[in-house]
Amino acid sequence: MPNKLFGYLGAILIVALLISCAPAPAIAPTPTKVAPTPTPTPKAPKVGGVLSVAQISEAPGLDPHKVPAAATVRLTEQMYDALVKLNPNMQVVPDLASSWETPDPKTYIFHLRKGVKFHNGRELTADDVKYSIERILDKKTGAMAASYFVAIDKIETPDPYTVKFLLKNPFAPFLTNLASFYAMIVPKEVVEASGDLQKVAVGTGPFKLGERVPDNVTKLERNKDYFIAGQPYLDGLNFFVTKDEAAIVAALRAKQLDFATVSPSSARLLKTEKDLKVVSSPGLAYYYLGFNGSKPPFNDVRVRQAISYAVDRQKIIDTVFWGEAVLTGPIAPSLGDWAIPVSNYPSYTPNVTKAKELLAQAGYPQGFKSTIKVSTQLQIEAAQIIQSQLRAIGIETEIVQVEWGTYVADWRASNFDMIAGSNQGRADPDEYTYFHFHSKGSANVWKFSNATVDGLAEQGRTTIDPKERKAVYAELQKEIVEQSPLLFLCAPNNFFVYQNYVKDYVPMPNIQNLSFATTWLDK
């Protein structure tokens, strides 16, 4: 097993007091006065400098409503804002809306900040919020967050700074969904002038789009009119596309990069570097092996279950993630008691005999041939282990690597037999479940449909009482794993590496970098 990345130092101070045995009464010693250690005065943030950030792949587009790729989110989350956002504890806090109230379970009223400007200089109003959410709901947009807002019946704008959402029914994840990086507020005139937002970006965020060189660098510049006074401190952000993680490690050591999110193996290499800080935190994302449920043999649940019994998830954790991951079901364990223990899942215990029996029952006693689509190095490494394990039950697989833009397009179009990938972390169980596994879920690229799963997913999002809601999601998770539309492999820890002069960066479990607005360089 790999060594722990971090240890804890402890010190025990033993003080011996020798007491004289003479008959004279003991005299209490005079306490030694020790001057208190002065608390260092926090440094005031310095304004200026450009943060160089590693981007593992090129963003296939810049439209926050259309593109699910993490490489896109890393850019759009700096250039756009939503009505509300998540803090590092995954709690919903104000963003473009300064406050809100819910007079009843089906009504949400948001009060916008006044004087917020888009990067083109126009003031944001309630009409922009209405337009953005309706654009997401428009089927022509093909928005990733469409299923987040199906409960909306009507959006009203009583005045330029008030937005009123009227829902068809109580909808527990509504606030959290509004904080999604897929629910950013955009200006109508820019969308209409450009057709979409794939190559342009005009938001209200702390940084605005500067120079963009495909497969090289995207430069963001400070938004001097950002609505939070004094922020951001940085002059800009440069996102350098560096697809080879070995090159990222070398660039961090050479101070050619200031910040990167890295794999556990790279974190191990860098933790002893005196000029670098390595930070680890439990992640909300998980890695998976997905199946195209519209294609034989993966439309047979017995085949999917057989593969689950054949895969040794712990070996993937130990080999690919250096032990820095945990077994997971549909909801990552770091979301707390929303996730049920993986001991509830029999198919998580490798059982080749059981796997072969299920394949034979499905009509594949000799196995079959298939492909696994991948793009990133971690996907490749996980797929190689799966490939070896599936061979033991007669399934021969070819690993097909494609570049990132093609991978994302193929994922969205369900153009795969099997696909290795990862789903980003979420703050609400609805985002883990309905989004991916309901028949109408926006990210149900597996073409999976099951009446029981649909019913529980719908019940979970309309149940308001937390205790009752958790009971629904416990049952839903068991059903999803039983049906195995994909295999949940593991939820890895997040590793952030940055130069010691990078100050006030605060990691988030879902790997958002919202604190870049308050990050500064002490050099």
Side-chain angles (χ1 to χ4, degrees):
M1 295 291 291
N3 295 326
K4 296 289 184 182
L5 289 178
F6 302 99
Y8 296 95
L9 299 178
I12 302 175
L13 178 62
I14 302 175
V15 180
L17 178 63
L18 299 178
I19 303 176
S20 171
C21 295
I27 300 174
T30 302
T32 302
K33 292 183 178 181
V34 179
T37 302
T39 302
T41 302
K43 288 186 176 181
K46 295 179 181 178
V47 177
V50 175
L51 186 74
S52 297
V53 183
Q55 183 87 309
I56 197 68
S57 58
E58 176 61 271
L62 296 177
D63 197 320
H65 295 164
K66 289 187 173 186
V67 186
T72 294
V73 173
R74 298 292 81 84
L75 299 175
T76 56
E77 68 186 357
Q78 306 302 329
M79 297 186 287
Y80 293 93
D81 297 296
L83 268 181
V84 291
K85 64 182 179 181
L86 299 172
N87 67 12
N89 295 320
M90 296 289 98
Q91 298 167 325
V92 177
V93 296
D95 198 9
L96 292 175
S98 58
S99 64
W100 61 89
E101 62 257 12
T102 53
D104 61 71
K106 296 194 293 183
T107 305
Y108 289 76
I109 302 172
F110 293 86
H111 304 283
L112 303 183
R113 301 177 191 267
K114 295 181 180 180
V116 176
K117 293 181 179 180
F118 284 107
H119 298 158
N120 61 7
R122 179 175 69 76
E123 186 182 15
L124 173 135
T125 69
D127 287 339
D128 295 302
V129 177
K130 185 176 189 293
Y131 168 76
S132 297
I133 302 302
E134 289 179 346
R135 180 178 187 246
I136 290 170
L137 286 169
D138 187 345
K139 292 182 179 179
K140 295 178 182 178
T141 304
M144 287 306 303
S147 63
Y148 285 5
F149 302 119
V150 292
I152 294 175
D153 183 43
K154 188 185 299 184
I155 305 174
E156 297 177 351
T157 55
D159 62 62
Y161 304 105
T162 304
V163 184
K164 185 176 183 180
F165 291 92
L166 301 173
L167 308 185
K168 301 171 188 174
N169 48 258
F171 193 75
F174 186 64
L175 267 180
T176 305
N177 289 353
L178 283 173
S180 169
F181 31 68
Y182 300 143
M184 301 297 187
I185 306 305
V186 303
K188 179 179 180 180
E189 70 273 17
V190 176
V191 176
E192 292 182 341
S194 304
D196 58 27
L197 298 170
Q198 293 290 50
K199 295 182 179 180
V200 298
V202 179
T204 57
F207 297 93
K208 57 185 181 180
L209 185 62
E211 180 184 7
R212 190 159 190 244
V213 182
D215 286 315
N216 185 353
V217 64
T218 297
K219 296 182 179 182
L220 307 186
E221 303 169 354
R222 174 198 283 141
N223 174 14
K224 297 178 181 179
D225 294 322
Y226 187 49
F227 60 84
I228 299 180
Q231 295 182 16
Y233 302 126
L234 296 167
D235 285 334
L237 302 167
N238 287 348
F239 289 84
F240 288 97
V241 177
T242 315
K243 299 178 181 180
D244 181 4
E245 188 152 312
I248 292 176
V249 169
L252 286 165
R253 284 171 166 162
K255 292 186 171 59
Q256 295 169 345
L257 284 172
D258 299 320
F259 179 96
T261 303
V262 301
S263 66
S265 58
S266 293
R268 286 167 58 88
L269 290 173
L270 295 171
K271 69 175 183 177
T272 58
E273 296 285 333
K274 62 181 181 64
D275 292 330
L276 293 173
K277 186 170 185 178
V278 179
V279 177
S280 171
S281 66
L284 288 169
Y286 61 78
Y287 273 74
Y288 64 78
L289 176 70
F291 309 114
N292 190 331
S294 67
K295 293 182 177 182
F298 304 111
N299 58 346
D300 192 319
V301 66
R302 294 168 296 185
V303 171
R304 304 194 299 266
Q305 290 171 341
I307 294 174
S308 184
Y309 277 107
V311 171
D312 185 345
R313 294 162 170 83
Q314 190 61 48
K315 185 172 182 179
I316 294 172
I317 290 174
D318 295 341
T319 306
V320 179
F321 296 95
W322 295 74
E324 295 289 345
V326 295
L327 293 174
T328 185
I331 298 175
S334 53
L335 199 62
D337 55 5
W338 288 108
I340 63 175
V342 295
S343 57
N344 285 269
Y345 308 135
S347 63
Y348 276 37
T349 301
N351 188 331
V352 171
T353 300
K354 178 71 172 178
K356 287 182 176 180
E357 289 175 357
L358 286 165
L359 278 184
Q361 292 171 16
Y364 302 94
Q366 305 304 317
F368 55 86
K369 293 181 179 181
S370 189
T371 60
I372 304 176
K373 187 159 289 186
V374 298
S375 183
T376 69
Q377 185 60 35
L378 284 176
Q379 292 168 4
I380 294 170
E381 292 175 11
Q384 288 171 339
I385 293 175
I386 292 170
Q387 180 184 52
S388 174
Q389 294 172 346
L390 293 187
R391 191 173 292 124
I393 63 170
I395 300 177
E396 294 292 334
T397 59
E398 177 188 357
I399 296 174
V400 179
Q401 184 181 12
V402 295
E403 62 87 22
W404 185 246
T406 300
Y407 176 92
V408 173
D410 287 347
W411 178 88
R412 290 210 67 175
S414 304
N415 183 25
F416 55 82
D417 294 331
M418 292 187 281
I419 186 168
S422 62
N423 284 331
Q424 296 189 58
R426 310 296 179 184
D428 188 277
D430 177 74
E431 296 177 275
Y432 279 102
T433 52
Y434 191 106
F435 187 52
H436 289 287
F437 306 113
H438 189 279
S439 299
K440 297 181 179 179
S442 299
N444 185 358
V445 298
W446 337 109
K447 303 293 186 181
F448 171 71
S449 181
N450 177 272
T452 302
V453 169
D454 282 358
L456 289 169
E458 291 164 8
Q459 185 180 351
R461 58 180 13 194
T462 56
T463 301
I464 303 300
D465 180 79
K467 185 176 180 180
E468 294 177 7
R469 196 168 182 237
K470 286 177 182 176
V472 172
Y473 281 107
E475 187 177 352
L476 176 56
Q477 289 170 82
K478 291 178 184 178
E479 187 64 28
I480 291 173
V481 171
E482 175 71 17
Q483 293 297 320
S484 300
L486 53 73
L487 301 191
F488 306 94
L489 301 177
C490 63
N493 292 334
N494 298 327
F495 289 94
F496 308 91
V497 181
Y498 45 91
Q499 305 293 341
N500 282 336
Y501 52 72
V502 176
K503 303 298 181 181
D504 291 344
Y505 173 76
V506 181
M508 294 180 67
N510 63 351
I511 324 184
Q512 281 191 277
N513 291 322
L514 300 183
S515 68
F516 278 169
T518 54
T519 298
W520 56 283
L521 305 180
D522 189 16
K523 66 173 184 176

